C-alpha cells in the first residue's frame, strides 16, 4: 500500500511538472503586451526609499482597510476545501514573485494536488515549524484572502489627537499581508527600554505608537535614534515602525523631520534618553492621563499584516511564535477547520522574578512555575482579569513540538471579567478611546463586544507572554482610585448603554 501511494504521488507530481512546462512554453509563444505585476526584490540598503517607490507605483489598487465581513476573516477557505494554492507566491519577506497568476495553469495544477481533508486539515506537510516554507506561504495567501497594505508616512487627525503615522518606518520594506504577524503596542518614551528584548524574541514587524505631548517630543525622537543607532542590533531598524501622537492641546513647539535626523548618526556616548524617572516627563508634569486606547488603535490600524497581536510593550513573547502560529493556520486542522464562529487566539501571560532569566520555552516556564520564580500574570493585582479557561491544565501540559489550539473558551461564567491578550485581525472590535490607563478597565469594553458577538477564544498550547521581570503587588493609590471611580461611572452610565444599543446583549456577557 505504501509503495502504491508513493507511486501515485510521483505520478501526480510528474503530471504537474509536464503541465507547467507546456503552459510555460505556450505563454511565451502567445504572450501579449499586457504588463504583468512585477515585484522587485528588497534590499536592506535604501529599503525605505525603494519601498516607498513600490507603494506609489503599485498597478493594483488596494484598500487601506480589510473590507471583508467580520465573521469571514479566515473561514472563506476553511469552510470550502475546494480552493487550492495560488500559482505564484513570494518565498520570503524580502523576495516576491515576478509573474502574474495564470488561472488555466492554476486549475490544472489544482486538479492533481492532494485534496485537503476537513477532519485533519490541509494536506500540507511542514518539516520545520520554526520557518515558513514557500508552500506554506502559498496556502496562507489563498487561505486568508487578505488585502495588502501600504505604510506611507501620514499626518492625521484622530479626534483630539494629531497622529504622525509611520513617523520612522522599519527597514523591512513591503510585506504582504499573509507573510507575518505584527506585534502592535504603545508607550511613552520612558518605556522604550523594552523595545530591544521584545523585538529580539518577536523577530517580526512591530508597530509602536508613542505618546509624545509637548516637550516629550525631543526625548522621544532621541530615544528612537538611540534604539536604531546605539544598541549594535539591526533588528530594531529592520522590524520596528514608530508612530508618534499627541493631543491638539499639547502640540510640540518643534517636530523634527525624520528624513533629516535619520541621516545623522546619533551620539551614543551618553545614557539612553529613555532612562529617566517617569515623574520628570511632560505628561506627568502636566498631570495628563495616558490615552492608552488611542495608542492601541493607532498601532493596530497601521499594521500591514492580516494577523496582529495587540499587546503591551512590557510583555515579551515566546520565541518562534510567528512561524509556528502561521504554520498552524496553514495546517488548518480541527478546531480551525470546523469552527463557524469569529475567533481570536489568546496567549497565556506570566510574571517572573526581578532577577531571573525570562524563559524561552514552555518547558522552562513550567519549571519556573514549579519553583515559584514565575506566577500567572497579575496574580497579586487582579487574578480574575487574566485567569484563562483551563489555565491550570495549560500549565500542567508538557510542551509539544508544534503550535495547536489547546482549548476553545468563552468570556463568560467565571471568566466574565477576563481581559485576554490575543492574536486577532483587523476585523476585531477596537478599544474605546474615551478610556485612559489610569481609569482602569480599559480593555473591558472590547471584551464585552467579543462576548456579545460570541467569539471563540482559541487558546494556544505553547505560546506565552512574559512581563518584564519583577512581580507586581497591589499598591493602594487614592489618586488613581478616584480616576478609576469616574471612569467606572462613565462606563456604566454612558458606554454600556451605547454598547447594548450598537451590539445587543447576550446572556452571561458583562463588563
Amino acid at each position: 500500500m505504501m509503495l502504491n501511494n508513493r507511486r501515485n504521488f510521483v505520478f501526480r507530481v510528474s503530471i504537474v511538472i509536464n503541465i507547467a512546462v507546456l503552459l510555460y512554453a505556450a505563454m511565451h509563444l502567445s504572450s501579449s503586451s499586457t504588463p504583468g505585476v512585477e515585484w522587485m526584490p528588497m534590499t536592506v540598503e535604501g529599503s525605505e526609499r525603494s519601498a516607498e517607490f513600490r507603494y506609489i507605483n503599485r498597478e493594483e489598487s488596494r484598500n487601506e482597510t480589510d473590507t471583508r465581513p467580520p465573521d469571514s476573516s479566515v473561514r472563506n477557505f476553511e469552510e470550502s476545501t475546494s480552493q487550492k494554492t495560488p500559482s505564484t507566491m513570494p518565498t520570503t519577506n524580502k523576495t516576491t514573485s515576478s509573474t502574474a497568476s495564470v488561472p488555466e495553469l492554476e486549475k490544472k495544477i489544482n486538479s492533481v494536488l492532494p485534496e485537503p481533508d476537513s477532519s485533519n486539515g490541509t494536506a500540507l506537510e511542514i518539516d520545520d515549524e520554526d520557518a515558513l516554507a514557500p508552500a506554506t506561504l502559498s496556502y496562507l495567501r489563498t487561505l486568508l484572502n487578505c488585502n495588502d497594505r501600504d505604510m506611507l508616512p501620514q499626518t492625521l487627525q484622530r479626534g483630539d489627537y494629531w497622529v504622525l503615522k509611520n513617523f520612522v518606518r522599519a527597514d523591512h520594506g513591503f510585506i504582504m499581508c499573509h507573510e507575518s504577524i505584527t506585534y502592535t503596542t504603545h508607550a511613552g518614551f520612558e518605556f522604550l527600554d523594552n523595545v530591544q528584548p521584545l523585538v529580539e524574541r518577536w523577530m517580526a514587524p512591530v508597530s509602536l505608537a508613542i505618546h509624545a505631548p509637548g516637550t516629550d517630543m525631543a526625548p522621544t525622537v532621541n530615544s528612537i535614534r538611540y534604539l536604531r543607532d546605539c544598541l549594535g542590533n539591526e533588528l530594531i531598524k529592520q522590524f520596528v515602525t514608530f508612530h508618534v501622537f499627541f493631543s491638539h492641546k499639547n502640540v510640540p513647539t518643534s517636530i523634527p523631520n525624520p528624513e533629516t535626523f535619520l541621516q545623522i548618526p546619533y551620539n551614543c556616548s551618553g545614557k539612553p534618553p529613555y532612562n529617566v524617572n517617569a515623574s520628570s516627563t511632560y505628561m506627568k508634569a502636566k498631570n495628563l492621563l495616558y490615552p492608552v486606547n488611542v495608542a492601541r488603535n493607532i498601532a493596530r490600524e497601521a499594521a500591514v499584516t492580516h494577523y496582529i497581536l495587540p499587546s503591551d510593550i512590557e510583555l515579551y513573547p515566546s520565541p518562534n511564535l510567528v512561524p509556528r502560529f502561521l504554520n498552524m493556520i496553514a495546517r488548518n486542522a480541527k478546531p480551525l477547520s470546523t469552527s463557524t464562529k469569529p475567533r481570536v487566539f489568546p496567549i497565556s501571560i506570566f510574571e517572573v522574578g526581578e532577577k531571573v532569566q525570562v524563559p524561552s520555552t514552555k518547558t522552562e516556564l513550567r519549571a519556573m512555575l514549579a519553583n515559584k520564580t514565575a506566577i500567572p500574570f497579575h496574580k497579586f493585582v487582579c487574578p480574575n482579569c487574566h485567569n484563562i479557561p483551563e489555565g491550570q491544565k495549560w500549565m500542567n501540559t508538557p510542551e509539544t513540538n508544534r503550535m495547536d489550539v489547546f482549548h476553545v473558551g468563552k468570556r463568560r461564567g467565571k471568566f466574565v471579567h477576563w481581559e485576554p491578550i490575543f492574536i486577532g485581525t483587523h476585523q476585531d472590535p477596537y478599544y474605546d478611546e474615551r478610556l485612559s490607563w489610569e481609569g482602569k478597565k480599559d480593555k473591558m469594553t472590547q471584551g464585552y463586544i467579543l462576548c456579545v458577538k460570541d467569539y471563540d477564544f482559541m487558546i494556544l498550547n505553547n505560546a506565552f507572554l512574559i512581563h518584564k521581570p519583577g512581580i507586581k503587588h497591589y499598591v493602594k493609590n487614592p489618586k488613581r482610585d478616584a480616576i478609576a471611580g469616574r471612569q467606572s461611572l462613565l462606563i456604566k452610565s454612558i458606554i454600556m448603554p451605547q454598547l447594548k444599543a450598537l451590539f445587543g446583549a447576550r446572556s452571561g456577557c458583562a463588563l
Side-chain angles (χ1 to χ4, degrees), residues 232-253:
N233 189 329
E234 291 297 310
L235 292 176
I236 293 173
K237 280 187 178 181
Q238 182 180 356
F239 288 123
V240 183
T241 293
F242 299 88
H243 323 281
V244 175
F245 75 103
F246 39 80
S247 165
H248 68 85
K249 297 179 181 179
N250 298 280
V251 178
T253 57

Side-chain angles (χ1 to χ4, degrees), residues 161 211 283 287-291 436-439 483 486-487:
Y161 294 89
H211 184 222
M283 192 186 90
N287 288 316
L288 302 180
L289 299 181
Y290 181 59
S436 69
W437 175 82
E438 290 82 0
I483 298 171
R486 292 194 293 271
Q487 185 150 295

Side-chain angles (χ1 to χ4, degrees), residues 343-365:
R343 72 276 193 106
V344 290
F345 300 86
I347 301 177
S348 303
I349 315 174
F350 300 88
E351 297 178 65
V352 298
E354 187 174 3
K355 297 182 179 180
V356 301
Q357 185 76 25
V358 175
S360 293
T361 65
K362 186 179 179 181
T363 300
E364 293 176 8
L365 172 62

Side-chain angles (χ1 to χ4, degrees), residues 4-54:
N4 288 336
N5 288 339
R6 294 180 65 181
R7 286 175 176 169
N8 288 337
F9 176 74
V10 171
F11 176 69
R12 287 197 297 270
V13 170
S14 66
I15 293 175
V16 173
I17 294 171
N18 289 332
I19 292 171
V21 171
L22 289 173
L23 287 176
Y24 179 82
M27 285 168 59
H28 278 269
L29 289 172
S30 60
S31 61
S32 67
S33 59
T34 304
V37 179
E38 184 167 354
W39 302 100
M40 299 300 295
M42 298 179 187
T43 60
V44 174
E45 183 179 357
S47 60
E48 289 192 37
R49 187 177 300 276
S50 62
E52 184 174 12
F53 180 81
R54 281 194 299 277

Side-chain angles (χ1 to χ4, degrees), residues 185-201 206 208 210 219-220 222-228 231 233 236 240 242 271-278 281 312-316 354 358 467-470:
T185 191
H186 57 91
F189 77 90
E190 68 274 21
F191 286 90
L192 295 184
D193 60 306
N194 295 286
V195 172
Q196 182 173 6
L198 189 159
V199 75
E200 285 177 344
R201 293 168 70 91
V206 175
L208 170 55
I210 306 176
T220 293
N222 288 337
S223 294
I224 293 171
R225 296 177 66 192
Y226 188 94
L227 288 169
R228 288 171 58 92
L231 297 180
N233 189 329
I236 293 173
V240 183
F242 299 88
K271 71 173 185 177
Y274 45 77
N275 281 0
V276 298
N277 190 315
T281 65
D312 293 335
I313 198 166
E314 292 183 304
L315 295 178
Y316 307 158
E354 187 174 3
V358 175
H467 192 275
K468 178 182 179 179

Side-chain angles (χ1 to χ4, degrees), residues 18-293:
N18 289 332
I19 292 171
V21 171
L22 289 173
L23 287 176
Y24 179 82
M27 285 168 59
H28 278 269
L29 289 172
S30 60
S31 61
S32 67
S33 59
T34 304
V37 179
E38 184 167 354
W39 302 100
M40 299 300 295
M42 298 179 187
T43 60
V44 174
E45 183 179 357
S47 60
E48 289 192 37
R49 187 177 300 276
S50 62
E52 184 174 12
F53 180 81
R54 281 194 299 277
Y55 298 149
I56 296 171
N57 291 278
R58 298 280 291 280
E59 292 182 338
E60 180 182 15
S61 174
R62 292 187 170 95
N63 296 329
E64 184 66 15
T65 57
D66 199 326
T67 57
R68 288 171 292 104
D71 293 346
S72 64
S73 60
V74 177
R75 291 186 302 279
N76 290 344
F77 178 88
E78 294 170 341
E79 292 176 355
S80 174
T81 56
S82 62
Q83 298 182 50
K84 304 293 191 301
T85 311
S87 60
T88 60
M89 185 54 47
T91 55
T92 69
N93 284 353
K94 294 187 178 180
T95 308
T96 44
S97 173
S98 60
T99 60
S101 63
V102 183
E104 294 81 4
L105 176 60
E106 190 171 306
K107 283 183 181 179
K108 294 184 186 308
I109 291 179
N110 287 343
S111 67
V112 294
L113 282 174
E115 288 290 334
D117 184 337
S118 61
S119 62
N120 296 317
T122 66
L124 186 66
E125 292 186 6
I126 298 172
D127 296 325
D128 184 358
E129 294 291 336
D130 295 337
L132 292 170
T136 304
L137 289 170
S138 296
Y139 266 91
L140 288 169
R141 186 65 176 175
T142 299
L143 182 69
L144 301 181
N145 190 29
C146 55
N147 293 330
D148 294 328
R149 291 165 166 247
D150 294 338
M151 53 182 292
L152 290 173
Q154 292 179 286
T155 299
L156 308 169
Q157 265 191 302
R158 187 186 191 94
D160 291 337
Y161 294 89
W162 282 102
V163 181
L164 308 181
K165 181 181 178 182
N166 298 318
F167 182 63
V168 173
R169 290 174 291 172
D171 288 353
H172 54 55
F174 181 70
I175 290 180
M176 300 181 83
C177 59
H178 66 286
E179 290 182 309
S180 192
I181 307 172
T182 303
Y183 191 108
T184 70
T185 191
H186 57 91
F189 77 90
E190 68 274 21
F191 286 90
L192 295 184
D193 60 306
N194 295 286
V195 172
Q196 182 173 6
L198 189 159
V199 75
E200 285 177 344
R201 293 168 70 91
W202 184 244
M203 298 288 287
V206 175
S207 176
L208 170 55
I210 306 176
H211 184 222
T215 57
D216 283 349
M217 172 60 78
T220 293
V221 169
N222 288 337
S223 294
I224 293 171
R225 296 177 66 192
Y226 188 94
L227 288 169
R228 288 171 58 92
D229 292 350
C230 301
L231 297 180
N233 189 329
E234 291 297 310
L235 292 176
I236 293 173
K237 280 187 178 181
Q238 182 180 356
F239 288 123
V240 183
T241 293
F242 299 88
H243 323 281
V244 175
F245 75 103
F246 39 80
S247 165
H248 68 85
K249 297 179 181 179
N250 298 280
V251 178
T253 57
S254 176
I255 301 175
N257 186 341
E259 292 187 6
T260 301
F261 69 69
L262 288 177
Q263 304 305 316
I264 304 171
Y266 189 74
N267 182 353
C268 302
S269 60
K271 71 173 185 177
Y274 45 77
N275 281 0
V276 298
N277 190 315
S279 62
S280 67
T281 65
Y282 176 93
M283 192 186 90
K284 290 295 184 183
K286 297 295 183 180
N287 288 316
L288 302 180
L289 299 181
Y290 181 59
V292 60
N293 284 348

